[in-house]
Amino acid sequence: MSGELTPRAIQRIIRQVGLKCAARGHRLSETLVAFMVKAVVLDPRNDYNMDQILTENDMQDLIQLCVTRLLDTTNPSLSTIKMQVYFDMNYANRDELVSEKERVLEGKMAPVVRAITESGAHAEEEMENVYQKIVTYALLRSGLGSPTDIEAIREVTAALQSVFPQTEMITFISLSKKDKEQQLKDLAMLVTGIRLYNKECQKGGSGIDDLPNILHKAIPSTTRTLDERLNSCQLLAHRYTALLESMQEDPHRHSQLSTFKLKEALFSVRQYEAFLCILQSNAITSAQEVESLDVKFKAAMMVLKNTVQDKISIESKEVFPLFMELSKLWTGYQNELLLLSFLTNMADNLQQFLEIQLQLFSEEMLTSLLEGVAVKSDEERIKESMGTRVNVSDFKNQEWLFPETTDNFDQLLIQYHGFCAHSIGVKGITLPGNPAIGILKHKEKYYVFSSKEAAYIFAQDPDKFIQLNVEKAKEYSELIQLLGLHHQFEYLVLHTQTRNATKGLMKRSPKCDSGTQTDTHILPPTIVRSYEWNEWELRRKAIKLANLRRKLTHGMQTNLSHMRRENCTQVYLPKDAGTQTKHDSSSNVPKPQIFLKGLRGGSSATTHMVTVDLTRPLNET
């Protein structure tokens, strides 16, 4: 197995280390083992080089060293690396968590959806079975109740029948599979909205938890727990920092405390603090989102109540969008509850990686070690340096940035996650940097410092101190992630960071939309169309021209074509024409009205008839 440390050789070493750890009862993830192997090779104290050729004994020594490091439960450095691997493997932001939840839900609902959409039922009994499956789908999709809850099933069935009666099954079955799936989702949202409205009106709501009230109680509890743990770890960091500074100032204390792994403990606590800050930020965002959901949900419910009131019937186009809006808002509550549960689990699981701190440094031990030592918090250190500032005139070739002269000063991506760029490599301590002193811009990167003196020393030769920080990260591999040095150790980053390069643990780089436009053709075209690169084509053209010189054009004329010319005639096509020979006319004449009197006779023997003409004259009509 001897040879160079090629990727294939390192992979074999990783496999051997994993097997040896498993044989001793410790099953470790391949990511953790791989990180530790590469960290051991990277550490200059172990005298390994990626280009050197290792013998069989060297390989075994490397494997044994890695196994020893991985099984050393008293080393805070191992605990920090385990914490980094755990967080990197399990943490997901809001969008990723919601997407994963949706993917899992789709996977669970796939068999039910398939049974509904692929059914070609035509008999009445078969259609009824499909309808019952739709009821089950609507209940499971909403997550409001259990399929074994009879009351919840009745509510879902009644709500579904009000918007999708069983007589519509014939039309539903005739749809395409894609349209069926979309209609199923719409029906589930409508049913959810109807059930939420009925719950608000106290006419149902079986199996529906009061998510707003649950969240209003859970969010403060989670935030309070995170604050307590954050304050606790920050206090530890301040104490460790004070002890490390006292070691550098007093040689006697250095010999007294050198056996303690204070630097490894400080880095572990700082990493734990960074992770807790991320979780705390998510909890605050979740609280803001819940407040927004409360306002929107109450407004949507009020609009729905005003629309429905006590009406017997109402148009679907008016009320259906309101029901679907209620369903979407309730899904938002469910997402926030899922996120809060995730944050709580992450915080609880991270707590285990800090147990070694209690084993190495009990409260009594720290109290005794800190006698006569002033412990300063990060806020106090920043406050002490607030009155000092770098004098720009002292540096001719360096660019310094200040809040009042720099746009988006708070959005600058500070190197080393805001820690002092000087104290890391020189003192091996992570001190908070103060941007008010001045931010040094060196090779398009930004650096902050804990004091004016540290800024002046660093600015004299920035590349030297940057290299010192890199060497310190090689010695303490947990600094690579803590300080964000992944770009300098690309072969040592965790695999999920390689997979998702945009995933960061601290402030992300600022981004802005920009655009540019250029002319399509600035200069006039200079293409010579007659150019020919093919020599044989040029040869053919030359032969053709040479042959044309020996050609003559002949013409003749016959007697039949003598003095002839082409003739043509033009005619006009007939056009459409019409004539009118008569037109309709009318006149109005008086209606004759003539009456005869005396036709029935009278008292005399003879009949005297009188004619009465009541016809109106022509000029009066």
Side-chain angles (χ1 to χ4, degrees), residues 450-581:
S450 59
S451 64
K452 180 179 178 180
E453 294 75 14
Y456 272 72
I457 296 173
F458 184 92
Q460 292 176 2
D461 192 356
D463 293 329
K464 170 188 172 182
F465 292 99
I466 291 172
Q467 187 58 35
L468 284 178
N469 296 337
V470 173
E471 295 299 326
K472 187 66 67 174
K474 290 181 180 180
E475 186 176 352
Y476 301 95
S477 55
E478 60 267 28
L479 288 177
I480 295 174
Q481 184 163 341
L482 176 61
L483 302 180
L485 299 177
H486 305 113
H487 59 284
Q488 297 182 359
F489 299 92
E490 294 180 356
Y491 52 90
L492 199 59
V493 296
L494 302 178
H495 77 283
T496 50
Q497 292 168 345
T498 304
R499 180 188 63 196
N500 187 3
T502 61
K503 178 180 175 182
L505 299 180
M506 291 289 186
K507 186 187 297 182
R508 290 165 172 78
S509 58
K511 297 179 175 59
C512 64
D513 295 332
S514 62
T516 182
Q517 183 177 359
T518 58
D519 293 334
T520 305
H521 299 292
I522 301 177
L523 301 176
T526 57
I527 300 175
V528 180
R529 301 294 179 182
S530 60
Y531 171 76
E532 186 63 55
W533 63 271
N534 192 339
E535 182 181 350
W536 292 100
E537 184 65 25
L538 294 173
R539 181 183 176 85
R540 282 191 293 270
K541 289 183 177 180
I543 293 174
K544 182 178 179 181
L545 292 174
N547 290 338
L548 287 175
R549 296 182 60 188
R550 297 193 297 269
K551 302 296 182 181
L552 296 177
T553 303
H554 299 277
M556 64 180 65
Q557 190 172 17
T558 63
N559 291 329
L560 295 177
S561 65
H562 180 57
M563 295 297 292
R564 295 292 181 90
R565 63 184 178 86
E566 295 180 356
N567 292 329
C568 61
T569 60
Q570 183 176 5
V571 298
Y572 292 97
L573 297 177
K575 66 178 182 178
D576 295 334
T579 59
Q580 186 175 1
T581 58

Side-chain angles (χ1 to χ4, degrees), residues 87-88 91-97 274-275 277-279 281-282 285 342 408-418 446 481 483-484 486 496-497 500-512:
F87 194 87
D88 188 77
Y91 175 74
N93 56 33
R94 296 174 60 86
D95 295 336
E96 293 173 343
L97 202 62
F275 289 154
C277 287
I278 295 173
L279 300 182
S281 175
N282 288 338
T285 303
F342 170 76
N408 300 321
F409 184 80
D410 296 334
Q411 302 298 324
L412 295 177
L413 182 62
I414 307 299
Q415 296 297 304
Y416 309 128
H417 289 162
Y446 305 96
Q481 184 163 341
L483 302 180
H486 305 113
T496 50
Q497 292 168 345
N500 187 3
T502 61
K503 178 180 175 182
L505 299 180
M506 291 289 186
K507 186 187 297 182
R508 290 165 172 78
S509 58
K511 297 179 175 59
C512 64

Side-chain angles (χ1 to χ4, degrees), residues 22 75 90 97 144 154 158 171 182 188 385 409 473 487 495 511 617:
N75 189 356
N90 294 275
L97 202 62
L144 304 180
R154 289 176 180 173
T171 305
Q182 183 60 43
S385 60
F409 184 80
H487 59 284
H495 77 283
K511 297 179 175 59

Side-chain angles (χ1 to χ4, degrees), residues 58-69:
D58 294 335
M59 289 284 190
Q60 293 301 324
D61 292 342
L62 175 58
I63 293 174
Q64 187 59 40
L65 181 58
C66 293
V67 172
T68 304
R69 291 272 306 265

Side-chain angles (χ1 to χ4, degrees), residues 319-532:
V319 73
F320 278 13
L322 300 178
F323 285 136
M324 298 185 78
E325 181 65 20
L326 280 183
S327 177
K328 292 178 182 178
L329 294 173
W330 196 261
T331 302
Y333 280 123
Q334 292 174 330
N335 293 338
E336 294 305 321
L337 188 62
L338 173 66
L339 178 64
L340 195 64
S341 175
F342 170 76
L343 295 178
T344 304
N345 292 334
M346 286 289 296
D348 293 340
N349 292 330
L350 286 175
Q351 187 72 14
Q352 62 180 325
F353 300 107
L354 217 62
E355 293 178 355
I356 191 174
Q357 304 286 340
L358 300 177
Q359 299 175 6
L360 295 177
F361 306 100
S362 62
E363 184 65 27
E364 295 78 7
M365 180 184 295
L366 280 177
T367 303
S368 62
L369 292 175
L370 287 170
E371 289 183 3
V373 178
V375 179
K376 299 178 181 178
S377 65
D378 292 346
E379 293 76 11
E380 291 173 347
R381 292 178 183 274
I382 293 176
K383 188 179 295 184
E384 288 178 356
S385 60
M386 285 301 292
T388 59
R389 174 177 288 198
V390 171
N391 189 359
V392 181
S393 60
D394 295 338
F395 302 92
K396 297 180 180 179
N397 300 324
Q398 301 290 356
E399 182 180 359
W400 293 88
L401 305 179
F402 299 96
E404 63 275 6
T405 59
T406 305
D407 295 333
N408 300 321
F409 184 80
D410 296 334
Q411 302 298 324
L412 295 177
L413 182 62
I414 307 299
Q415 296 297 304
Y416 309 128
H417 289 162
F419 291 115
C420 176
H422 173 262
S423 62
I424 296 170
V426 177
K427 300 179 181 180
I429 305 176
T430 51
L431 295 177
N434 185 3
I437 296 175
I439 296 180
L440 174 63
K441 183 179 180 181
H442 177 69
K443 295 182 178 179
E444 302 302 323
K445 296 180 180 179
Y446 305 96
Y447 302 89
V448 292
F449 308 95
S450 59
S451 64
K452 180 179 178 180
E453 294 75 14
Y456 272 72
I457 296 173
F458 184 92
Q460 292 176 2
D461 192 356
D463 293 329
K464 170 188 172 182
F465 292 99
I466 291 172
Q467 187 58 35
L468 284 178
N469 296 337
V470 173
E471 295 299 326
K472 187 66 67 174
K474 290 181 180 180
E475 186 176 352
Y476 301 95
S477 55
E478 60 267 28
L479 288 177
I480 295 174
Q481 184 163 341
L482 176 61
L483 302 180
L485 299 177
H486 305 113
H487 59 284
Q488 297 182 359
F489 299 92
E490 294 180 356
Y491 52 90
L492 199 59
V493 296
L494 302 178
H495 77 283
T496 50
Q497 292 168 345
T498 304
R499 180 188 63 196
N500 187 3
T502 61
K503 178 180 175 182
L505 299 180
M506 291 289 186
K507 186 187 297 182
R508 290 165 172 78
S509 58
K511 297 179 175 59
C512 64
D513 295 332
S514 62
T516 182
Q517 183 177 359
T518 58
D519 293 334
T520 305
H521 299 292
I522 301 177
L523 301 176
T526 57
I527 300 175
V528 180
R529 301 294 179 182
S530 60
Y531 171 76
E532 186 63 55

